[in-house]
Amino acid sequence: MNPIKHVAIIMDGNGRWGLRYRNSRNLGHRAGLETVENIIKQTLKKKIKFLTLYAFSTENWRRPKKEIVFLFKLLEEFLTKKINELHNKGIKLKIIGNKKAFSKKLNKILTNSERKTQKNKSLQLNLALNYGSKAELINAVNLTIKKKKHVNEKNIENNLYTNDSPDPDLLIRTGNTNRLSNFLLWQTAYSEIFFVRKLWPDFKTKDYNKILLKFKRIKRNFGNI
Ligand code: FPP
C-alpha cells in the first residue's frame, strides 16, 4: 500500500454549483468553503502531512470584480474566524503564490496567520493564492541565478514556493474538467491524477476516502518497470 504524504486539490465547480442550486456563483463559493473545512478535517484524521489547495490562480483575476471581492472577503472571514481552531489542531498555514497583489489588510491577516501557526506539525496546509505554476518556475529560476547557483533540478526545487513540501503523491480535480490549469506543473511530474465529475461543494468524505484507497493500491514505477 502506498503511503500518502501530500494531497493536492484543484477545487473546481463552485460557480456552477452556485448557479444550479442557489442562483448565485458566490453562494457556490460559500458552499465550497464547507467542503474545504471538511477535507482539512479528513486529511488530519488520515494523518496526511501536507494538503495543497488551489484557491485563486493568477488567471482568476479575469473574473468579474464582484466575484473576486467576494472570494477575498470569504477568505478574510474564514481566517479571522477559524485561525485559532486551525492552530489548536496543529495546522501550519502556508500561502503559496504572489501575495503582493493583495490589499494591506489581507496581507496582514495572511502573514499573521502564517506566523501564528508556523511551528505546528500535524498538517501543513498550503493555500495557493494568486498562484500560477509558470510564474513560480520563472521566479525559482531567477532566484537560483541571483544566488549564483547552477540551474539544476535541486536548486530550482529549493526556490519553489513549495520548497518545504514533498511532491504531491496525488492530485485531485473536481468539476468534471480534465486539465491542470497552471497548478504545480513541476511538482506533479509523478503524481497520480484523479479527475472527479462532482462539483467541489458536492465532494464528500466518502468520495475523498475512495480516491485515497484507490491511490494506495496503484503500482507506482517512477519511470522504472
Ligand atoms: C473554482 O471553481 C474555485 C475557485 C476559483 C475558488 C475556490 C474557493 C473556495 C473553494 C472557497 C473559498 C476557499 C477559501 C480557502 C476561503 P469555479 O468558480 O471556477 O467553478 P466553475 O468552474 O463552476 O465556474
Side-chain angles (χ1 to χ4, degrees), residues 69-86:
V69 169
F70 183 87
L71 272 168
F72 286 115
K73 271 258 160 291
L74 198 60
L75 176 65
E76 263 184 47
E77 188 187 303
F78 171 67
L79 287 177
T80 312
K81 277 195 194 152
K82 301 283 169 117
I83 194 63
N84 284 334
E85 193 181 318
L86 297 179

Side-chain angles (χ1 to χ4, degrees), residues 25-57:
R25 288 183 54 86
N26 286 349
L27 291 182
H29 292 307
R30 194 173 277 290
L33 185 56
E34 285 178 31
T35 305
V36 167
E37 293 190 53
N38 184 43
I39 293 302
I40 293 173
K41 203 168 101 192
Q42 299 307 323
T43 307
L44 265 174
K45 205 165 148 187
K46 298 275 174 198
K47 301 196 171 10
I48 296 167
K49 292 288 182 189
F50 295 85
L51 175 66
T52 300
L53 300 178
Y54 203 7
F56 196 86
S57 75

Side-chain angles (χ1 to χ4, degrees), residues 27-192:
L27 291 182
H29 292 307
R30 194 173 277 290
L33 185 56
E34 285 178 31
T35 305
V36 167
E37 293 190 53
N38 184 43
I39 293 302
I40 293 173
K41 203 168 101 192
Q42 299 307 323
T43 307
L44 265 174
K45 205 165 148 187
K46 298 275 174 198
K47 301 196 171 10
I48 296 167
K49 292 288 182 189
F50 295 85
L51 175 66
T52 300
L53 300 178
Y54 203 7
F56 196 86
S57 75
T58 44
E59 289 74 30
N60 287 148
W61 294 107
R62 296 177 188 147
R63 295 189 176 208
K65 185 146 186 249
K66 210 176 113 206
E67 183 167 335
I68 296 174
V69 169
F70 183 87
L71 272 168
F72 286 115
K73 271 258 160 291
L74 198 60
L75 176 65
E76 263 184 47
E77 188 187 303
F78 171 67
L79 287 177
T80 312
K81 277 195 194 152
K82 301 283 169 117
I83 194 63
N84 284 334
E85 193 181 318
L86 297 179
H87 181 49
N88 292 338
K89 286 180 172 162
I91 296 172
K92 171 181 172 177
L93 178 73
K94 174 165 176 175
I95 307 303
I96 60 168
N98 186 352
K99 279 190 273 187
K100 281 187 194 138
F102 303 142
S103 68
K104 252 194 180 160
K105 187 179 172 208
L106 181 58
N107 247 305
K108 203 169 158 194
I109 295 174
L110 295 173
T111 308
N112 286 345
S113 304
E114 285 183 297
R115 235 178 247 150
K116 185 183 179 88
T117 60
Q118 66 187 343
K119 295 209 173 95
N120 289 342
K121 296 264 186 283
S122 302
L123 168 69
Q124 177 163 327
L125 174 61
N126 296 322
L127 199 55
L129 289 173
N130 192 21
Y131 174 88
S133 190
K134 289 185 180 178
E136 178 187 32
L137 276 166
I138 292 168
N139 183 54
V141 173
N142 280 328
L143 283 173
T144 306
I145 293 169
K146 208 168 150 190
K147 293 175 189 166
K148 299 197 188 322
K149 301 264 191 190
H150 289 295
V151 177
N152 59 27
E153 215 170 291
K154 187 170 157 277
N155 289 331
I156 289 179
E157 275 170 4
N158 286 340
N159 288 291
L160 292 173
Y161 298 130
T162 53
N163 57 7
D164 56 354
S165 307
D167 285 343
D169 300 294
L170 63 154
L171 167 70
I172 300 170
R173 179 175 188 143
T174 59
N176 201 19
T177 305
N178 303 350
R179 57 175 169 252
L180 295 181
S181 301
N182 202 11
F183 185 52
L184 303 178
L185 299 180
W186 175 287
Q187 298 90 332
T188 55
Y190 275 98
S191 305
E192 304 295 331

